[in-house]
Every structure is written in C-alpha cells, then in structure tokens.
Amino acid sequence: MFLPCAFLLSLCALSPFTALPSAAAAAEDASDIADTRHNAPVFPRHHPCNCYKYPPDTPYRHSSASSTSDINKRKRGRGARIAYLIEAHNARTLDDAVHLFRSIRYPGNIIIIHIDSKFPMEAYHNSTLATEIDACKCGADVLVESKFSPHWGKWDMNDPTHYAMDLLAFDSRFKDKWDVFMNLSGDTMPVLTPDRMAELFDPHLGPLRGINFVTSAACETGLHPTSVWEFPDGWHKKTHYTHVDGEYIGASVLDYVDDDGNERSQRMDTYFGSQWMSLQPDFVAWLARSLKREDSLPSVYRDEFIDSDRLMSDETFVSTLLMHTHPFNETLPRLLSRGNVASFPKIYSTR
C-alpha cells in the first residue's frame, strides 16, 4: 500500500508502500493502485483535487455489516479511518511528501505532518506541499507541526511518533476519530488507493482489522519481530543489545508498576521490528498513557534506552513492548507457511 519506502502491505511481491518510480510503473493499469503519476522532482504549484468519490463516513463504520447493501458499501471504499504521521526532515522528503499527501488525503483520515525543527519552517510555507494542503485536503483533518529535532540512532528519533500517539489518544480534535495509526517517512508512497486501504483495515469486516504490524518483513521472522537471540553471535545488533563496554550482560530485568498498581519485574528480551508501523487504537492509547507515568514498563524501558545510549531504539522499543505485554502480544498477524498473512494471503510485507 505504500512504496522508498513502499508503504504498507505487499500484494504478492508488491508492497503497499514503495519507491516512487516503482509506484508509477505499478499504477498503470490497476484500479487499486494509488495516484502516483507525478514524477519527482518537478511539481506543479497546485495539483487539481483528485478526491475519491466514496468517503468512509457512514454508520457502517460503527456496526457490523449484515446485508448485501452494507457489503456493497464496503466495496465502494467505506471502512477504516486512518491516522497518518508523515515525517519530513529536509527539502527532498518535503517534496516527496507531496506525492504521499496526494495519495492519502481522504475524507475521515487524519494526517499529522512533522517537520524536523532543524529544517526552516519558512521553506515549508513556500513549498508545494503547503500549497497542496491549503488548496485541497479532500476532507482529511491535517495538522502540520515542527516540534522535535531527532538525531539518527538516538532516543529522540522516537519523539515525533510518540507525540503523534499522544495527540491521537488524548487530544479532543482526534480522540476516538480513527481506527488505525500508521507512521511514514515523507518519501513513502502508497500503492493502494485510500478507499482500498479503508476497506482492508475496516474495524468490523476488514481482513486486517485488529492487527498490530510492528515489522515490515525485512527480517528473518517476516511480519513478526525478530528476537535478538536469533541473530548469530558477534552480529552487531545482538552484541549492541546484550553487551555493555564489551561485557556480556544478557537481557535486562526491569522493575515497574503495572496498570493496577502492582509491583512487577519483567525480563526484556529485545525484539527488532521496524520504525514504520501500523497500530491499533487500544495499543496506541496504552503506550501513550503509560509514557505519562514514570514507573510504568514503557517509561522504565525508555529510561534504560537513554541511560545505556542504545542505538536503533525506533526499531526495537515498540516491538519489544508489544511482545512482552498481554493482550497486545496476541495481536500480531497470523502467518501462513510462506510468511504471508492468513487473513489476507496476498500480503507478504508492509513496505
């Protein structure tokens, strides 16, 4: 569903999110394929609105479909409201984000755009993306922010994502108004139309409903996170998370207070996933709420990352928490023998 990061779900060998040139090639003759015909880096100052005909804003969202009429509505693209976070950090990703925005603007969707604060906002205000947002949101709720200055490999790489989670979970503008959260780089491109995405993630009948995707299949365990213990000895990722100053320490054991006020200990075996995820509202709300409480498992785990100066935390923090927390560790996709998703076997990866 998305492409340079190709965004979401692979159909056969095709991923929902993909690189821009590939997206254009894939889009030529398929009705499900998103509008990716605008070749970077030359952009018109304004692109005519290409809003989709059937917004997903119907009572079907809130009750199970029980008739042929309801199912036909679903086929017309009515389903999940998707909340997106788009991250841009320079002129290239800002320009690329124009393609992405054109392909996900859709009635009922939420689009939060975070621009690295190291990049001047004046450049954004003079950009094609700003012009496009002002001219045509297609009914999406769009918010543009520039609050954080992430540094590669450091904990603050997580800040825009956690900020967006907090907004979606608690801000009255967005709370309870979305069905799935996806974070994307500005140079990501969807290969499926927004109505098809809404159908796949529909919270009642969609084949991808209720699933937390915390990896994109670029690992040996596919769409399930990879335990650090599955890496060979000496592999840099394994060594980084199991050694301090060259000395083996194994997995951490963290003391924390659970949601009911009980003191607990948890062995935190590290799981590698992807920094680009597709998450359900209950997990997002739990994580955002927990990070507000200093003695929660997510907060204690975050502090360990910062104190130990762990790298790649954006690839391990969420996936490790999900794997160690009930009932969320039961919401990973069920996979078939070839690694594809059982509820929708065309999907082998999310990007």
Side-chain angles (χ1 to χ4, degrees):
M1 301 176 293
F2 293 72
L3 289 158
C5 303
F7 165 47
L8 196 58
L9 323 174
S10 279
L11 302 181
C12 299
L14 179 65
S15 171
F17 294 80
T18 295
L20 294 173
S22 302
E28 191 169 349
D29 293 313
S31 60
D32 276 348
I33 299 303
D35 178 8
T36 58
R37 292 168 293 175
H38 317 287
N39 295 319
V42 179
F43 297 95
R45 286 302 298 171
H46 168 59
H47 182 267
C49 282
N50 57 345
C51 303
Y52 288 80
K53 184 177 180 181
Y54 301 108
D57 188 17
T58 75
Y60 169 69
R61 266 188 172 153
H62 307 292
S63 60
S64 298
S66 58
S67 68
T68 301
S69 174
D70 286 330
I71 293 172
N72 286 337
K73 287 179 182 178
R74 174 174 177 253
K75 289 180 178 178
R76 293 206 303 263
R78 303 183 176 186
R81 302 160 296 181
I82 301 177
Y84 293 102
L85 167 66
I86 301 173
E87 295 187 50
H89 63 276
N90 57 21
R92 180 186 62 79
T93 51
L94 197 67
D95 278 347
D96 288 347
V98 179
H99 294 293
L100 176 55
F101 177 74
R102 288 171 178 165
S103 298
I104 63 176
R105 57 184 177 187
Y106 191 56
N109 282 353
I110 296 167
I111 303 173
I112 300 171
I113 299 172
H114 183 270
I115 300 170
D116 192 314
S117 62
K118 294 188 290 294
F119 188 73
M121 280 301 288
E122 181 181 358
Y124 163 73
H125 292 303
N126 292 324
S127 70
T128 303
L129 179 61
T131 302
E132 195 81 15
I133 291 172
D134 290 341
C136 187
K137 298 181 180 69
C138 288
D141 193 346
V142 181
L143 174 66
V144 180
E145 297 272 38
S146 179
K147 291 182 172 293
F148 305 102
S149 178
H151 298 82
W152 186 90
K154 300 298 184 180
W155 171 258
D156 57 19
M157 288 282 290
N158 296 281
D159 288 344
T161 299
H162 294 170
Y163 173 70
M165 289 181 174
D166 190 79
L167 283 178
L168 293 170
F170 302 115
D171 191 295
S172 59
R173 177 173 173 179
F174 305 120
K175 183 180 179 181
D176 299 326
K177 298 176 182 178
W178 55 280
D179 301 302
V180 62
F181 166 64
M182 298 178 188
N183 65 324
L184 304 169
S185 172
D187 56 5
T188 300
M189 207 41 217
V191 299
L192 297 183
T193 54
D195 47 357
R196 180 59 170 153
M197 293 284 287
E199 178 183 336
L200 290 173
F201 284 96
D202 183 274
H204 302 294
L205 290 180
L208 304 182
R209 67 187 184 277
I211 297 175
N212 283 301
F213 290 94
V214 291
T215 184
S216 58
C219 52
E220 292 185 2
T221 51
L223 289 170
H224 288 176
T226 304
S227 169
V228 71
W229 304 112
E230 296 191 33
F231 293 115
D233 291 340
W235 189 254
H236 68 287
K237 290 185 177 181
K238 184 173 185 177
T239 300
H240 182 65
Y241 275 88
T242 59
H243 292 69
V244 173
D245 296 329
E247 181 180 350
Y248 176 79
I249 60 170
S252 301
V253 178
L254 303 181
D255 297 323
Y256 70 100
V257 177
D258 68 16
D259 294 340
D260 298 320
N262 301 312
E263 294 184 358
R264 296 187 179 276
S265 295
Q266 176 66 56
R267 173 186 163 118
M268 296 297 285
D269 293 299
T270 300
Y271 284 84
F272 276 83
S274 172
Q275 67 269 53
W276 312 115
M277 300 165 284
S278 168
L279 302 175
Q280 296 299 306
D282 55 350
F283 180 68
V284 169
W286 172 80
L287 182 54
R289 183 172 58 251
S290 296
L291 286 171
K292 294 177 181 291
R293 183 165 56 86
E294 291 300 317
D295 57 0
S296 70
L297 181 59
S299 292
V300 174
Y301 192 40
R302 172 202 61 203
D303 293 344
E304 185 193 62
F305 269 99
I306 296 172
D307 293 343
S308 58
D309 199 24
R310 295 289 190 212
L311 301 177
M312 301 169 285
S313 59
D314 53 337
E315 297 180 9
T316 57
F317 181 73
V318 171
S319 54
T320 299
L321 283 170
L322 185 137
M323 293 297 287
H324 287 294
T325 307
H326 181 80
F328 305 119
N329 53 8
E330 297 179 352
T331 61
L332 293 166
R334 188 169 67 86
L335 305 179
L336 301 177
S337 59
R338 297 178 60 190
N340 45 334
V341 179
S343 61
F344 197 62
K346 291 182 179 181
I347 294 176
Y348 288 80
S349 69
T350 61
R351 32 189 341 103

